[in-house]
């Protein structure tokens, strides 16, 4: 049985986003800025967790600095 969609569980987004950041930047040298987290929590997620992972993969793989920010 599936739970409610991610868009109805915005509190879960932070933990999932950090999980995906560790997956794509396992060295742990990157973080998620508060403005980026707020943007993720306000964004609708029709594909739920898979879409959030896709959103996190891009910035994590091309990040040059220590933080993912909303403009990344």
């Amino acid at each position: 049985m599936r739970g409610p969609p991610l868009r109805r569980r915005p509190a879960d987004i932070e933990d999932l986003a950090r999980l995906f950041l560790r997956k794509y930047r396992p060295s742990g040298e990157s973080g998620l800025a508060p403005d980026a987290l707020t943007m993720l929590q306000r964004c609708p997620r029709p594909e739920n967790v898979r879409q959030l992972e896709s959103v996190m993969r891009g910035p994590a793989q091309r990040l040059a600095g220590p933080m993912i920010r909303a403009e990344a």
Side-chain angles (χ1 to χ4, degrees), residues 1-69:
M1 184 171 160
R2 298 174 72 173
L6 189 54
R7 66 181 166 269
R8 292 191 184 153
R9 300 178 289 131
D12 292 347
I13 292 174
E14 181 174 6
D15 290 337
L16 289 167
R18 292 186 191 287
L19 174 82
F20 295 134
L21 185 56
R22 284 191 307 273
K23 179 178 179 178
Y24 293 105
R25 304 270 307 190
S27 63
E29 78 262 5
S30 301
L32 190 62
D35 63 338
L37 177 59
T38 299
M39 178 188 269
L40 288 171
Q41 290 172 328
R42 291 182 179 167
C43 205
R45 310 231 170 276
E47 293 182 42
N48 293 319
V49 176
R50 281 182 286 164
Q51 185 179 9
L52 179 61
E53 181 175 8
S54 178
V55 166
M56 291 302 298
R57 183 182 316 121
Q61 290 178 337
R62 66 177 182 268
L63 183 65
M67 263 315 166
I68 291 179
R69 301 203 177 278

